[in-house]
Amino acid sequence: MIITQTMPNSHEDLVDELAHQQIDKGVIATTQQLTLKQADTDSSHFYSHALIGGNSTMLIAVTGLILCILVGYSYADNFSLAAQVASHIGLIIFATAVKIGYVMRCIGLDGMGHLQL
């Protein structure tokens, strides 16, 4: 069996191959940078929605807490027993919603790079 041996590439071929590899790497790097920029834009969009959602949740929950306190304690004589029981149950639910809203707000602020206490 006869084995033929090929000569290695010439210097010019190696230079051309290296140039093509560098161009391909440049294209890949540019594509990765664009993808990272798009991901950064998407993530900042997510974090801004988390911040807005957290603020809104806390606003609604604090309003509900105030109403439940008024119905269950301050003006309890003016409401039925069922309304007072519902207001006491609402206290637990709205207090939980305040905590969830605060966590959402913290996630939004942290993702946008703000420092928190």
Side-chain angles (χ1 to χ4, degrees), residues 48-115:
S48 66
H49 278 287
L51 179 63
I52 292 169
N55 288 339
S56 301
T57 302
M58 287 180 21
L59 178 69
I60 293 168
V62 167
T63 304
L65 272 173
I66 291 171
L67 289 175
C68 286
I69 289 170
L70 290 175
V71 170
Y73 295 102
S74 298
Y75 299 107
D77 296 337
N78 299 330
F79 293 96
S80 67
L81 182 61
Q84 292 178 31
V85 169
S87 71
H88 282 79
I89 293 170
L91 280 173
I92 297 169
I93 294 170
F94 286 121
T96 304
V98 168
K99 294 170 187 168
I100 292 171
Y102 182 72
V103 170
M104 287 174 59
R105 176 176 158 68
C106 288
I107 290 170
L109 288 174
D110 185 57
M112 293 169 63
H114 294 281
L115 296 176

Side-chain angles (χ1 to χ4, degrees), residues 9-62:
N9 294 337
S10 66
H11 177 70
E12 290 81 19
D13 292 337
L14 291 174
V15 169
D16 287 342
E17 183 178 328
L18 182 62
H20 285 296
Q21 287 176 355
Q22 288 178 347
I23 289 172
D24 290 342
K25 286 180 183 177
V27 169
I28 290 171
T30 304
T31 305
Q32 287 174 345
Q33 288 173 350
L34 290 175
T35 304
L36 289 175
K37 286 180 183 177
Q38 182 181 8
D40 186 43
T41 304
D42 291 342
S43 66
S44 66
H45 187 69
F46 168 77
Y47 289 124
S48 66
H49 278 287
L51 179 63
I52 292 169
N55 288 339
S56 301
T57 302
M58 287 180 21
L59 178 69
I60 293 168
V62 167

